[in-house]
Amino acid sequence: MTGQLITLEGGEGVGKTTNLAFIERYFDDRGIPLLKTREPGGTPLGENIRELLLQGDAMDLKAELLLVFAARAQHVAAVIRPALSVGTWVLSDRFTDASYAYQGGGRGLSLEMIETLERWVQDMLQPDLTLLLDLPVETGMARAKDRGRPDRFESEQLDFFERVRAAYVGRAKAYPQRFRRIDASQALETVQAQIKSHLDAFLERQG
Ligand SMILES: Nc1ncnc2c1ncn2[C@@H]1O[C@H](COP(=O)(O)OP(=O)(O)OP(=O)(O)O)[C@@H](O)[C@H]1O
Ligand SMILES: [Mg+2]
């Protein structure tokens, strides 16, 4: 059996990284080999690109989009496809839905261009399951704010993050087959109980 690609999405401070560890344990307990990774990043080249994306310097929006997809091309070719092909499951802290949300919704770049890059870089590769942690923007920002100097995205204004959130929710509605939206304003244990039930149902479907 080839591995499955699971992605964790959502805006700033919704709890992606916190729940990544929970999901990793879930698969570990069931003896399913899982590779945990993140975007932008996941490879040495990708992590260097991540640094460029997050540092404070002004950046042309098209340059930003191309850097995100450059990192993703390396990630898909060097990490994700090789893992899936040997039956390892992949769990990524963000993937292409984040480009639609941040560069599409947030920055207002053309969705057609994002689709073109997606097809070019990924061919038919799509996540098998996407967990969207959804939360009012102010709550996420309050949770994320104790982390020192804000990066280039964290420095954006509220309306930017409102557009990011709306784009994520729109994608969840457009692709109900693979998306599961979770109310991330709930207590962590409630969020994790819901993640667990989605994973149980997903595993059930794999047979
Ligand atoms: N359900 C929850 N209730 C309260 N606090 C939470 C919950 N989930 C996560 N947190 C806390 O919120 C903060 C941000 O969580 P985390 O870093 O996992 O978010 P993130 O989505 O990875 O953020 P970023 O987008 O900035 O990477 C952490 O301090 C975490 O402990
Ligand atoms: Mg995180």
Side-chain angles (χ1 to χ4, degrees):
M1 187 174 101
T2 77
Q4 303 289 303
L5 174 59
I6 301 177
T7 59
L8 211 49
E9 295 282 0
E12 313 293 309
V14 295
K16 296 178 298 299
T17 305
T18 304
N19 288 298
L20 213 68
F22 173 79
I23 298 172
E24 189 178 31
R25 213 161 45 242
Y26 175 96
F27 284 101
D28 199 42
D29 289 346
R30 285 157 186 78
I32 296 171
L34 177 91
L35 187 116
K36 198 176 68 165
T37 184
R38 70 169 179 181
E39 288 208 349
T43 65
L45 175 64
E47 291 293 328
N48 282 328
I49 293 174
R50 180 187 182 93
E51 287 297 310
L52 296 173
L53 283 164
L54 296 186
Q55 74 190 23
D57 302 352
M59 186 180 291
D60 177 76
L61 298 185
K62 292 176 183 172
E64 177 182 298
L65 178 67
L66 291 169
L67 283 174
V68 166
F69 270 97
R72 181 164 301 132
Q74 188 69 20
H75 194 208
V76 166
V79 173
I80 298 180
R81 282 196 196 281
L84 295 176
S85 72
V86 296
T88 299
W89 291 41
V90 176
L91 172 65
S92 189
D93 188 335
R94 291 212 165 107
F95 193 57
T96 309
D97 293 304
S99 302
Y100 284 96
Y102 281 77
Q103 282 72 43
R107 303 291 194 210
L109 289 174
S110 144
L111 299 183
E112 288 71 28
M113 182 49 70
I114 299 176
E115 267 164 20
T116 300
L117 292 169
E118 177 184 34
R119 264 196 306 276
W120 191 45
V121 164
Q122 293 165 229
D123 196 9
M124 299 302 284
L125 178 72
Q126 287 289 324
D128 299 290
L129 176 68
T130 300
L131 300 172
L132 173 61
L133 297 172
D134 185 46
L135 186 69
V137 168
E138 292 88 342
T139 316
M141 288 171 97
R143 283 185 190 173
K145 81 172 183 318
D146 312 324
R147 282 188 301 207
R149 195 160 157 270
D151 66 35
R152 214 168 49 82
F153 291 96
E154 289 166 351
S155 312
E156 284 296 333
Q157 302 302 309
L158 211 59
D159 62 330
F160 174 85
F161 294 109
E162 295 289 2
R163 292 195 300 277
V164 168
R165 183 185 185 196
Y168 268 133
V169 170
R171 288 192 62 78
K173 288 192 179 135
Y175 303 99
Q177 278 277 91
R178 70 173 166 93
F179 263 96
R180 299 291 175 265
R181 179 181 174 185
I182 295 164
D183 175 2
S185 66
Q186 307 172 99
L188 185 57
E189 58 184 26
T190 310
V191 169
Q192 293 185 334
Q194 292 183 359
I195 290 176
K196 181 182 179 299
S197 79
H198 289 311
L199 294 175
D200 288 345
F202 184 73
L203 279 184
E204 187 80 18
R205 268 199 282 147
Q206 307 304 306

